Amino acid sequence: MSIIARVARWAGATCVGLALASGAWAQGGQPPIRIGSTLALTGPLAATSMIHKVVGEIYVEQLNKRGGLLGRPVEWIVKDDQSKPDLARTLYEQLITADKVDLLMGPYATGAILSAMGVAQRYHKVLIHHTFGIPAMAKYDMQFPAWSLGPNPGTTVPTTVLKALAASPKPPKTIAIVTSKFPSVHFMSLGARGIAKKMGVKEVLFLEWDFGNLDFGPIAARIKDANPDFLWVGAIGLEGNQLLEAMHKIDYTPHEHFYLYPAPGPMAKSPLAKNAMSVTLFEEHPPFTSAPGAEEFIKLYHERAAKAGIPDPTVEVQAAASYTAWQILEAGVRGAGSLDDKAIAAWIKTHHIPTITGNLRFDGPNNYGDDLMRVKQVQNGHWVTVYPKDFAAPGATLQVQ
Amino acid sequence: MTFPSGTLLAQSALSGVFIGSLYGLLGLGVGLAWGLLHVINLAHFAFAFLAAYLCYQLASVGGMDPLLTLALIVPLFAALGVALQWLLERFDVSPLNSLLATFGVTAIIEAGIQWKWTADFRKLESTYAGQTFKVGSLFVPLPELLTLLASVALALGIWAAMRYTRLGRALRALAEDAPIAAAFGINRRAHALLLAAVCGALAGIAGVCLALGFTLTPSQIYAWVGVVFAAVMLGGLGSAIGPLIGGIVIGVSEALTMAFASPSWAPIVSFSLLIGLLLLKPGRT
């Protein structure tokens, strides 16, 4: 390409850029509202973080199409915390002090959110977060969760699961609880022990392993030996699939089985996961899809997730919680009518906010509202909600072996 | 505490032997490079995972039999091993610095894997994966059995080569005293590159075994480092059979701990074994 042609192309691109920038500026006559966050764009949490990136981009695009916030366009600044909570802390500090963002959005995963929460508290900023797993540790009064576990999920989540089973044609009499010691999982499994006892289900096995365990063979052998009616697996990510594979290798199929936070795509696709249960806030079927905006979001997410190379472009808990977090932030700013963090927090605390995961409130302990976790199950290679009845997919019921 | 049944103990011990053989297979390349080349090669784990992903790609997308992928993977990773060794020699990297340099290589390979295959989980669905046969009351999965057989065959083959061939004796002489060995006409550089090729090939074979039995994700690279290093140190640096024995000792001790007590105690037991051995025989490594 000649130098003249290059200069002409550069000049053209500059003119187009300036025209776009001036158009955006003209939208509200003011600079954009800048929302800052980090996500684990690289490192071990990158696979799930990519979901939150795609959702954030969709939401900001939709928001700008609606005219932005307070008459101003919205710009999302997202930095890579490399799956490291300590780096997330530094980057949130930078977002506030150097980038001077107007608002914050939370990062992905409990560790990074805790880091961001500390920074938000120091600078008195509102922090909405989508995936915080330990409500008892959310002490900052201007943080708001989109992962609606309720204030005491160690009790409420196992209660929901065991109630679902108690209502099935074959209620379990014995339970084996095996669990990772990963923080946001472990306390829920300990809670399941207490609830099982209370509900008269006899515990025949309790095992714990360290996160990162490589050999699930002996754990599978002990489960086979105990042969419980119901297997509660406090698994996070891949651990659920690893345990299923280890049980299959010794020719054991669990009767009823539950996995707390499985990798949803790989588990649904696994032929070993028939009737595996888990918990959910949202699945792609009514009544969830009848929430305002849900259908449009699902359609956009399918397109964008496929484009981003996400292997399972289905909207489930992660994507839905992410979208919910943005809905909370938008509602807070519109409700308060300003970017003042204290005003936004005060408004969120005193109002119910309609989102795609439900009508949320934040007036409970640590700003948690209701536990909205429902029970889902793998049926014909797909997750479908089966309990409670009001949220079950049309015609779906809990299948037992 | 109730005493576990005989079947449970035997099945757990078998599981320990299988996972231990994979520790040993990974440790074989690490131990040879460390003991004979004085290179602490963390990139060995990244090579193994890269090989596992290539096996996944060739078998899942290309439709190849996973075991046939060895025909491509072994020479490719032998060449990678040579290239890494050439680089380390070119910049005269000391043993301690080799740990840092190969950690950097590992991070680059991890990023490359994540770029190509994303950080999401990948599972090779092969005809071997679901095959299990029964011996008495015990279940023996085929992928794990293949890993055990490969580990034993390679450890014995390399042991025999080191002990009975001129090449093996030359390598041991170089590790013992390189200047004296060179005075006897041994080409240090050529031998080092050859051994690096063997180590690279071993990483490739370990990768195929990983792909056959495990779900892959890039960050898993680091999960194997601690326990494989322990197996190498238990077995002795530069030893061909030692890492396999060390790996199986660790695997079985972990598995029996899981059978008798809480699985979360397993790493404590295996690393206590290592510390005990180092205290009793400090000159072992």
Side-chain angles (χ1 to χ4, degrees):
Chain A
M1 190 188 289
S2 71
I3 289 175
I4 294 171
R6 277 188 201 174
V7 171
R9 178 173 282 194
W10 178 84
T14 309
C15 289
V16 170
L18 285 172
L20 288 174
S22 61
W25 189 275
Q27 188 174 347
Q30 292 180 71
I33 290 173
R34 288 149 59 87
I35 302 173
S37 78
T38 77
L39 284 173
L41 300 179
T42 55
L45 304 176
T48 317
S49 255
M50 190 49 73
I51 295 172
H52 297 280
K53 183 165 184 282
V54 170
V55 174
E57 286 166 354
I58 289 173
Y59 199 93
V60 172
E61 188 183 302
Q62 287 182 321
L63 190 56
N64 281 328
K65 272 188 188 160
R66 290 198 296 269
L69 277 174
L70 310 178
R72 291 165 63 184
V74 171
E75 184 189 340
W76 182 31
I77 298 168
V78 58
K79 299 190 176 200
D80 179 12
D81 63 38
Q82 298 172 25
S83 307
K84 295 172 185 165
D86 53 325
L87 183 57
R89 181 181 299 116
T90 308
L91 293 177
Y92 271 90
E93 193 100 34
Q94 268 181 23
L95 283 165
I96 296 169
T97 56
D99 296 298
K100 301 200 183 302
V101 295
D102 300 290
L103 298 164
L104 294 179
M105 172 54 70
Y108 167 61
T110 301
I113 295 170
L114 260 183
S115 293
M117 209 181 282
V119 180
Q121 186 164 17
R122 197 153 56 246
Y123 292 93
H124 311 291
K125 300 291 288 181
V126 163
L127 185 77
I128 318 284
H129 47 84
H130 29 62
T131 46
F132 193 68
I134 314 175
M137 294 183 78
K139 297 289 184 195
Y140 174 44
D141 66 350
M142 291 210 292
Q143 60 74 35
F144 299 97
W147 193 264
S148 302
L149 281 169
N152 192 13
T155 303
T156 52
V157 172
T159 302
T160 306
V161 175
L162 285 165
K163 271 187 176 172
L165 282 160
S168 76
K170 209 174 154 192
K173 292 188 174 66
T174 58
I175 185 172
I177 296 170
V178 298
T179 184
S180 167
K181 287 169 91 174
F182 194 81
S184 53
V185 167
H186 192 239
F187 80 98
M188 302 266 261
S189 296
L190 294 182
R193 296 186 83 182
I195 299 300
K197 197 176 173 187
K198 215 183 239 179
M199 292 177 73
V201 184
K202 187 184 171 197
E203 183 183 292
V204 290
L205 181 69
F206 176 73
L207 292 178
E208 298 162 303
W209 67 80
D210 280 319
F211 182 65
N213 179 49
L214 292 169
D215 186 11
F216 282 86
I219 298 170
R222 287 189 68 174
I223 294 168
K224 184 180 182 180
D225 216 41
N227 193 25
D229 293 339
F230 174 51
L231 173 63
W232 168 291
V233 186
I236 185 158
L238 200 53
E239 292 172 333
N241 283 62
Q242 287 172 320
L243 185 59
L244 273 171
E245 284 159 18
M247 289 189 287
H248 178 66
K249 282 174 185 168
I250 54 169
D251 197 31
Y252 180 70
T253 307
H255 300 281
E256 316 311 332
H257 48 147
F258 169 85
Y259 303 82
L260 188 55
Y261 294 135
M267 179 153 284
K269 282 178 201 150
S270 169
L272 309 176
K274 186 185 168 201
N275 292 353
M277 294 155 46
S278 188
V279 281
T280 186
L281 289 169
F282 186 96
E283 298 297 323
E284 281 188 5
H285 58 70
F288 299 104
T289 46
S290 41
E295 289 283 11
E296 190 197 347
F297 167 55
I298 290 169
K299 187 171 160 277
L300 280 171
Y301 183 79
H302 286 184
E303 289 168 18
R304 305 290 171 84
K307 220 177 194 177
I310 294 172
D312 179 22
T314 313
V315 174
E316 49 82 60
V317 196
Q318 292 284 343
S322 198
Y323 198 83
T324 300
W326 285 96
Q327 286 183 303
I328 298 167
L329 184 61
E330 182 186 353
V333 174
R334 287 195 194 285
S338 87
L339 294 176
D340 178 67
D341 287 274
K342 279 186 182 150
I344 295 168
W347 191 90
I348 293 174
K349 264 191 173 183
T350 50
H351 289 78
H352 285 222
I353 299 178
T355 70
I356 61 164
T357 54
N359 202 21
L360 307 186
R361 64 181 178 88
F362 302 91
D363 52 0
N366 292 351
N367 294 348
Y368 274 78
D370 302 306
D371 174 2
L372 300 184
M373 285 289 171
R374 286 102 191 192
V375 178
K376 65 178 176 179
Q377 188 173 41
V378 175
Q379 294 183 4
N380 302 317
H382 298 282
W383 287 107
V384 289
T385 310
V386 290
Y387 184 89
K389 216 173 169 182
D390 302 348
F391 289 91
T397 53
L398 182 67
Q399 302 292 306
V400 290
Q401 306 279 7
Chain B
M1 186 174 72
T2 53
F3 200 78
S5 67
T7 308
L8 168 58
L9 276 181
Q11 189 70 58
S12 299
L14 188 63
S15 178
V17 170
F18 286 143
I19 191 85
S21 69
L22 189 50
Y23 297 158
L25 182 53
L26 279 162
L28 181 55
V30 173
L32 288 175
W34 194 344
L36 302 179
L37 296 175
H38 307 300
V39 170
I40 309 170
N41 186 9
L42 275 178
H44 191 81
F45 299 91
F47 281 178
F49 268 79
L50 183 58
Y53 273 92
L54 281 178
C55 175
Y56 162 83
Q57 184 77 15
L58 291 168
S60 296
V61 183
M64 273 179 89
D65 184 293
L67 293 182
L68 283 182
T69 63
L70 283 168
L72 291 170
I73 286 172
V74 167
L76 176 65
F77 281 80
L80 273 179
V82 169
L84 180 64
Q85 179 63 24
W86 182 84
L87 273 174
L88 293 173
E89 289 202 2
R90 170 73 183 75
F91 294 103
D92 200 17
V93 177
S94 69
L96 184 60
N97 286 343
S98 70
L99 182 72
L100 301 173
T102 56
F103 178 74
V105 173
T106 304
I108 293 166
I109 292 175
E110 186 200 359
I113 291 173
Q114 195 169 304
W115 172 75
K116 168 70 185 144
W117 287 282
T118 76
D120 224 320
F121 306 119
R122 305 281 162 172
K123 175 78 179 139
L124 171 61
E125 301 296 345
S126 71
T127 49
Y128 304 104
Q131 290 188 39
T132 300
F133 51 91
K134 210 173 171 190
V135 181
S137 59
L138 299 182
F139 291 88
V140 181
L142 186 60
E144 279 81 349
L145 182 66
L146 289 174
T147 302
L148 175 65
L149 293 175
S151 306
V152 172
L154 287 166
L156 287 176
I158 289 172
W159 172 79
M162 299 290 284
R163 191 172 176 87
Y164 297 116
T165 66
R166 190 179 157 75
L167 180 71
R169 282 196 290 270
L171 282 168
R172 284 190 289 141
L174 280 167
E176 193 75 27
D177 195 330
I180 294 291
F184 279 87
I186 297 172
N187 183 338
R188 195 199 60 78
R189 192 176 157 82
H191 281 80
L193 291 176
L194 183 67
L195 184 61
V198 170
C199 293
L202 286 170
I205 296 167
V208 172
C209 294
L210 275 168
L212 282 176
F214 290 82
T215 304
L216 305 172
T217 182
S219 59
Q220 279 279 312
I221 293 172
Y222 304 102
W224 295 82
V225 175
V227 71
V228 169
F229 267 66
V232 169
M233 293 173 92
L234 264 180
L237 300 183
S239 163
I241 296 182
L244 179 61
I245 295 171
I248 289 177
V249 166
I250 289 176
V252 171
S253 66
E254 285 185 343
L256 291 179
T257 308
M258 290 193 212
F260 273 107
S262 172
S264 58
W265 291 6
I268 302 170
V269 170
S270 56
F271 283 99
S272 299
L273 266 176
L274 177 65
I275 292 166
L277 187 88
L278 292 175
L279 286 173
L280 290 171
K281 296 181 80 174
R284 178 151 185 86
T285 56

